[in-house]
Amino acid sequence: MTVYYCYDAYCGWCYGFSPVIRRIFEEYRRVLAFEVLSGGMILPEKPQPIGVMAGYIQQAYKVVEERTGIRFGEDWLWHIFHPEESDWFPNSEKPAIAMCVFKDYYPDEGIVFAGELQYALHYEGRDLTDDEAYRHLLEKYKIPEKEFYGKLHHPAYKEKAYDEFALVRQLKVTGFPTVFLQVSESKFYQLARGYTDYATLKKAIDQVLEEK
């Protein structure tokens, strides 16, 4: 049985949910498989500056903090409150490709890496469209730099990322985070749609496991 965590690196609610899904992962990893699918939330045909969404985020991030207890970092907030000075053009593609590359090295640790990407963006204020945003994680996880960047720019990994976007659409996901538990080839249970607290998600998992 596999837990599918549909997320996007740019999703603020996913950032708020990351401690919840990480705790669930640590608790159930011996009895369930876990798979992270990137959703492709921001894929503009033409690059759009952060200013396009900054006004909305200026209010929305406070709601995420209040509901989840997570904190957004000053370096990220600077771009949200100074969009006219920011050089950010958000795009979900590169972090999704990075996720596919990372899973080559640590196939069972996607949940952990999703949290790392979200922290890098939302707390440390790293631009995930910039190759340099990933360098500190290569050192941390002892991933060969040349290999990683070669794969990050290889068409095969871009194709993998877009396959994940397509699978998320096929699962009829309309917002992030969304969590499913697959119990057979054709049977999926939706466990969470939008931010869900630990107790609620744990209860949903346990109910399905009891049925099985």
Side-chain angles (χ1 to χ4, degrees):
M1 290 190 280
T2 303
V3 173
Y4 286 94
Y5 171 38
C6 303
Y7 103 116
D8 193 274
Y10 278 93
C11 166
W13 282 108
C14 297
Y15 172 55
F17 182 64
S18 56
V20 174
I21 194 67
R22 175 70 183 262
R23 187 176 170 189
I24 290 289
F25 168 65
E26 297 295 352
E27 190 170 335
Y28 289 91
R29 64 185 303 179
R30 287 166 192 80
V31 291
L32 297 170
F34 284 79
E35 180 70 47
V36 175
L37 298 174
S38 299
M41 186 176 81
I42 305 173
L43 295 170
E45 285 184 25
K46 296 179 181 175
Q48 299 283 323
I50 188 70
V52 170
M53 59 189 78
Y56 166 76
I57 296 172
Q58 284 169 16
Q59 303 304 317
Y61 91 91
K62 296 173 191 168
V63 180
V64 177
E65 286 191 336
E66 286 165 12
R67 176 109 185 266
T68 71
I70 203 92
R71 287 290 169 265
F72 290 83
E74 291 301 318
D75 291 329
W76 178 80
L77 287 168
W78 183 88
H79 290 273
I80 303 307
F81 284 95
H82 302 85
E84 66 288 342
E85 297 174 59
S86 174
D87 59 355
W88 279 10
F89 286 78
N91 191 316
S92 298
E93 184 181 282
K94 187 168 285 184
I97 297 171
M99 173 65 77
C100 291
V101 176
F102 181 83
K103 287 191 283 193
D104 259 11
Y105 297 97
Y106 297 95
D108 300 324
E109 301 284 330
I111 298 288
V112 176
F113 195 61
E116 295 274 24
L117 290 181
Q118 292 172 325
Y119 185 81
L121 171 66
H122 293 105
Y123 195 84
E124 298 176 326
R126 298 178 192 267
D127 178 2
L128 297 183
T129 68
D130 182 353
D131 284 6
E132 288 302 311
Y134 306 93
R135 196 173 297 278
H136 69 295
L137 294 174
L138 306 186
E139 294 168 12
K140 183 174 179 178
Y141 289 94
K142 297 180 171 54
I143 295 172
E145 193 175 294
K146 192 174 179 183
E147 263 183 35
F148 177 85
Y149 285 115
K151 290 178 177 182
L152 190 66
H153 293 281
H154 196 286
Y157 287 87
K158 181 175 178 177
E159 189 176 325
K160 284 184 181 186
Y162 277 82
D163 285 346
E164 289 192 7
F165 301 159
L167 181 53
V168 169
R169 286 196 301 272
Q170 197 177 326
L171 289 167
K172 296 183 169 55
V173 173
T174 54
F176 305 103
T178 297
V179 181
F180 296 96
L181 178 55
Q182 183 181 16
V183 296
S184 69
E185 196 171 318
S186 59
K187 183 72 172 173
F188 285 78
Y189 290 87
Q190 185 171 282
L191 304 177
R193 183 182 177 194
Y195 176 78
T196 304
D197 62 39
Y198 166 78
T200 305
L201 183 54
K202 177 178 170 57
K203 185 179 177 184
I205 293 172
D206 288 343
Q207 281 178 339
V208 175
L209 293 180
E210 279 169 26
E211 283 179 29
K212 292 289 138 190

